Amino acid sequence: MAAIDGIVSGLDTAALIDSLLTLESGNQSLLKTKQSTASSLVTILQSLNTKVSSLAEHSTKAAKDESWQAVKGTITQTGVTAPGATVSTSATATPGTLSFRVGAVAASQASLTTLPADAAYASGTPTFTITRDGATTTVTAASTSVADVVDAFNASGTGVTATAVKVNVLDGNGDPTGDTTYRLQLTGRETGADNAFTVSYEGTSGTTALTLDQVRAASDASLVLFPGTAAQQTLTSSSNTFEGVMTGVDLTVTEATAVDAAPLTVTVARDQAAVKSLASGLVSNLNTVLTEITSRTRSTTTTDSDGRTVVSGGPLSGDATVRLLQQRMLSEGSLPVDGVSPADVGIVIGRDGTFTFDDAKFTTAMAADPEKVQKVVQGVADRLAQTAKSASDAQNGTITQAVKSQQDTVKDLGARIDDWDDRLAMRRTSLERQYAALEVTLSNLQSQSSYLASQLAALTGSSSSS
């Protein structure tokens, strides 16, 4: 409709229409501002909800008895910095000690053999039988070449691996001839005496055993428990890991203990670092939530262009749900548990409403009465867990509901803004038609005016001549 622009009237009709639409779009601008504010609140509330959910998760863990039963295993040996064993513990492990020696580490069989001449095989595709722990496995090579035989042994399920080793060819006196050949090194996939193996092949004279020159024998690992005492006994394992040596305790051996060396001692004790992290993590997560709330509710002071002081509240300053959550958490983190203040076990609240974890006080309290410390921290954790869950629950949490409410608001405002887009577009079309009609009307009036003027001029001229 740009062509209507002042053709007859000389008016800047496009600018007039834009000005009118700008005035009429004021309500839409207000809606956009409200939508932007609501979108910001969604982001802020989601961030807070994530932090509260993290607090709920850690608090729940700290409130459980099993979390306080965490133990850690260590192995020591007098005069040795790296004993030949490692220890791992499970949730069922209980405190205790055990002395032992590593008698031997488990090994897999390794043997060297010379492959038969091609003519010795019963067919052009050599067939080998591996016997291990009473079971047999048959492998067939694609050809008599060393590479194909190696591939056959290395196939899945054979129980052994193979590699070709280049060696010198010796004469009858055992001296090198200058030529080389390949021998096959076979290694068991599993350790333990029961995994020793033999190999035979199908030859022209029937089944024939391969001669295996031992490189390493298959053997079990062994532990000598309570060495040097009347209770001494030996424990064996086909692998280097001894499971359940103590309740919930596994030992993995890496090196045999020298005969004249001191025995090893495995000690399973309360994991102080893990226990401390329950309390310190509780304080850290609580502070994260409180700091987030404080930063989002704090008022700011600015000066406007007239020099007046303007005080503005934070985006969540008017949210009663958030304020209540803040008050409850401050109370639950500081109130006594069975008459004992959390501050006595290292959970200290400051005058500014923030919590700190007093490591020294916690350590001292644990040394004096670990059960009391556990009871107090669990009590605080249980209170905070319930509050945090009720706020951050994925379905019914108060903050979750606030997020959903703001998201609905954003959606509703978006629909209303879209309606205004349609309304303004229709209004523009209507105004363009009106101004186009005005230009046509003015053009017609102008034409009529010209016609009348010409007629009047003609009449005036006729009267003068008569």
Side-chain angles (χ1 to χ4, degrees):
M1 289 293 183
I4 69 171
D5 203 22
I7 295 175
V8 177
S9 65
L11 297 173
D12 188 352
T13 53
L16 286 173
I17 292 173
D18 288 341
S19 297
L20 290 171
L21 290 176
T22 298
L23 291 173
E24 294 186 24
S25 67
N27 288 333
Q28 187 189 46
S29 297
L30 291 175
L31 292 175
K32 288 181 178 180
T33 300
K34 290 181 179 179
Q35 186 186 47
S36 177
T37 300
S39 295
S40 296
L41 280 176
V42 168
T43 301
I44 292 170
L45 287 169
Q46 285 176 331
S47 175
L48 175 59
N49 208 29
T50 298
K51 293 176 173 62
V52 175
S53 178
S54 179
L55 172 61
E57 182 179 351
H58 187 89
S59 298
T60 301
K61 177 182 178 182
K64 292 180 178 179
D65 288 338
E66 52 265 35
S67 299
W68 290 81
Q69 295 168 0
V71 295
K72 181 179 181 181
T74 57
I75 293 180
T76 57
Q77 184 181 20
T78 304
V80 178
T81 56
T86 57
V87 59
S88 61
T89 58
S90 68
T92 60
T94 56
T97 61
L98 174 70
S99 62
F100 67 95
R101 291 179 183 272
V102 180
V105 295
S108 61
Q109 177 181 336
S111 301
L112 202 64
T113 187
T114 301
L115 290 174
D118 292 355
Y121 296 112
S123 66
T125 53
T127 298
F128 300 89
T129 299
I130 303 168
T131 302
R132 180 171 59 93
D133 195 19
T136 59
T137 304
T138 300
V139 298
T140 301
S143 73
T144 59
S145 74
V146 174
D148 284 342
V149 172
V150 167
D151 288 343
F153 276 100
N154 286 334
S156 176
T158 64
V160 300
T161 60
T163 184
V165 180
K166 182 184 285 188
V167 296
N168 287 320
V169 176
L170 305 179
D171 59 19
N173 297 321
D175 297 323
T177 64
D179 296 327
T180 58
T181 188
Y182 285 93
R183 299 191 74 189
L184 205 64
Q185 179 175 306
L186 301 175
T187 304
R189 293 181 184 272
E190 297 181 29
T191 60
D194 289 342
N195 288 306
F197 61 85
T198 60
V199 183
S200 61
Y201 68 97
E202 296 302 316
T204 55
S205 301
T207 301
T208 305
L210 277 178
T211 300
L212 301 179
D213 297 331
Q214 181 173 295
V215 176
R216 181 181 64 238
S219 61
D220 291 336
S222 66
L223 289 180
V224 180
L225 305 180
F226 316 108
T229 71
Q232 177 176 311
Q233 56 184 287
T234 300
L235 185 66
T236 60
S237 170
S238 61
S239 73
N240 284 316
T241 296
F242 293 79
E243 297 181 352
V245 177
M246 300 167 64
T247 303
V249 178
D250 299 338
L251 294 178
T252 299
V253 299
T254 56
E255 183 181 354
T257 306
V259 177
D260 57 348
L264 287 70
T265 300
V266 57
T267 301
V268 180
R270 183 192 290 269
D271 189 347
Q272 297 294 348
V275 169
K276 183 182 295 183
S277 71
L278 294 174
S280 63
L282 187 65
V283 172
S284 176
N285 279 274
L286 176 58
N287 264 341
T288 297
V289 173
L290 294 176
T291 299
E292 178 77 2
I293 293 176
T294 299
S295 67
R296 299 301 186 181
T297 57
R298 181 187 295 116
S299 298
T300 57
T301 302
T302 57
T303 303
D304 64 11
S305 57
D306 296 332
R308 293 178 300 176
T309 299
V310 179
V311 179
S312 303
L316 298 180
S317 59
D319 194 316
T321 298
V322 173
R323 286 290 192 183
L324 178 60
L325 176 64
Q326 181 185 38
Q327 292 169 8
R328 290 187 62 181
M329 288 188 171
L330 284 169
S331 175
E332 291 166 350
S334 57
L335 285 176
V337 176
D338 289 346
V340 180
S341 170
D344 293 341
V345 299
I347 301 177
V348 183
I349 185 171
R351 293 182 179 179
D352 60 352
T354 61
F355 287 83
T356 56
F357 177 70
D358 191 323
D359 190 299
K361 186 174 290 187
F362 178 86
T363 301
T364 300
M366 279 292 293
D369 192 345
E371 291 185 0
K372 182 181 77 172
V373 174
Q374 177 179 339
K375 188 174 184 179
V376 173
V377 176
Q378 282 184 307
V380 173
D382 185 60
R383 293 187 307 219
L384 290 172
Q386 293 183 45
T387 297
K389 285 179 182 178
S390 67
S392 63
D393 181 79
Q395 298 300 323
N396 302 313
T398 53
I399 299 178
T400 304
Q401 291 299 318
V403 171
K404 292 179 180 178
S405 176
Q406 290 299 326
Q407 288 175 330
D408 290 341
T409 299
V410 171
K411 184 178 180 180
D412 177 65
L413 289 170
R416 293 168 63 184
I417 290 170
D418 291 341
D419 288 344
W420 266 101
D421 285 337
D422 295 338
R423 186 183 305 177
L424 291 172
M426 293 175 62
R427 179 60 173 156
R428 177 179 290 278
T429 300
S430 175
L431 289 172
E432 288 175 344
R433 287 175 179 171
Q434 290 179 21
Y435 278 102
L438 172 64
E439 294 294 329
V440 171
T441 300
L442 288 175
S443 177
N444 291 336
L445 290 173
Q446 193 175 58
S447 296
Q448 291 177 7
S449 175
S450 298
Y451 173 76
L452 291 173
S454 63
Q455 290 299 315
L456 289 172
L459 289 172
T460 303
S462 174
S463 297
S464 299
S465 59
S466 61

